[in-house]
Amino acid sequence: MGVGSGRLYAAVAVGGFRRYATYRAATAAGVFTNTVFGLILVSTYLALWDEKPQLGGYDQAQAVTFVWLGQALPAAWAIGGGGVEVELMERIRSGDSAVDLYRPADLQPWWLAADVAARCPLVDLSVREPDIEAVITGMYAERASA
């Protein structure tokens, strides 16, 4: 891949980022929702571990870590589809992907650049979600030690 094609894919990524950055309020709402559900799960897990310490061979800290990782990682991976995958499948179904093959650019890096751009707003807020969760977990730890 030459310098010129690298610029092309960077331009595709920048354009995709601008396109998907318009949904930042929805992304923030998703982070809020994941945090609320995480709190519900943490409360449930802590109640379980209060009754049965070392449940499943894990302590409370490991159980809470499991909950927050379970809440944060799907946002970073954008599990559930949408975005580039749906667009690519629609282009294949409609036959528009034939036009994509005539472009003077490799199809896979093109869609990779678009996919990376689509994930950037999600990854950006997913990096902040563990910070929120660390504060909340610290509050639980202070309560438990008191």
Side-chain angles (χ1 to χ4, degrees):
M1 179 166 59
V3 174
S5 62
R7 281 192 224 135
L8 169 70
Y9 299 126
V12 169
V14 167
F17 178 76
R18 285 186 184 144
R19 176 178 169 197
Y20 287 99
T22 59
Y23 301 108
R24 290 189 69 79
T27 303
V31 168
F32 175 77
T33 303
N34 278 344
T35 303
V36 169
F37 282 120
L39 287 172
I40 293 168
L41 286 171
V42 163
S43 298
T44 304
Y45 277 39
L46 289 177
L48 281 170
W49 262 259
D50 284 342
E51 291 298 316
K52 293 202 178 237
Q54 297 299 321
L55 184 64
Y58 301 108
D59 62 6
Q60 281 186 338
Q62 291 170 323
V64 170
T65 301
F66 173 78
V67 169
W68 290 127
L69 286 175
Q71 291 300 109
L73 289 178
W77 294 332
I79 288 178
V84 174
E85 294 90 0
V86 172
E87 184 180 346
L88 180 58
M89 288 186 288
E90 178 59 31
R91 291 185 68 80
I92 291 169
R93 189 185 65 71
S94 68
D96 290 341
S97 61
V99 174
D100 294 341
L101 296 173
Y102 282 109
R103 288 185 180 148
D106 194 8
L107 190 62
Q108 290 175 330
W110 178 282
W111 284 103
L112 176 65
D115 191 44
V116 167
R119 303 301 182 232
C120 281
L122 296 172
V123 171
D124 178 41
L125 286 174
S126 295
V127 169
R128 292 185 188 125
E129 189 174 348
D131 295 336
I132 296 167
E133 294 151 357
V135 169
I136 293 168
T137 304
M139 292 179 349
Y140 276 108
E142 288 174 15
R143 186 191 72 172
S145 65

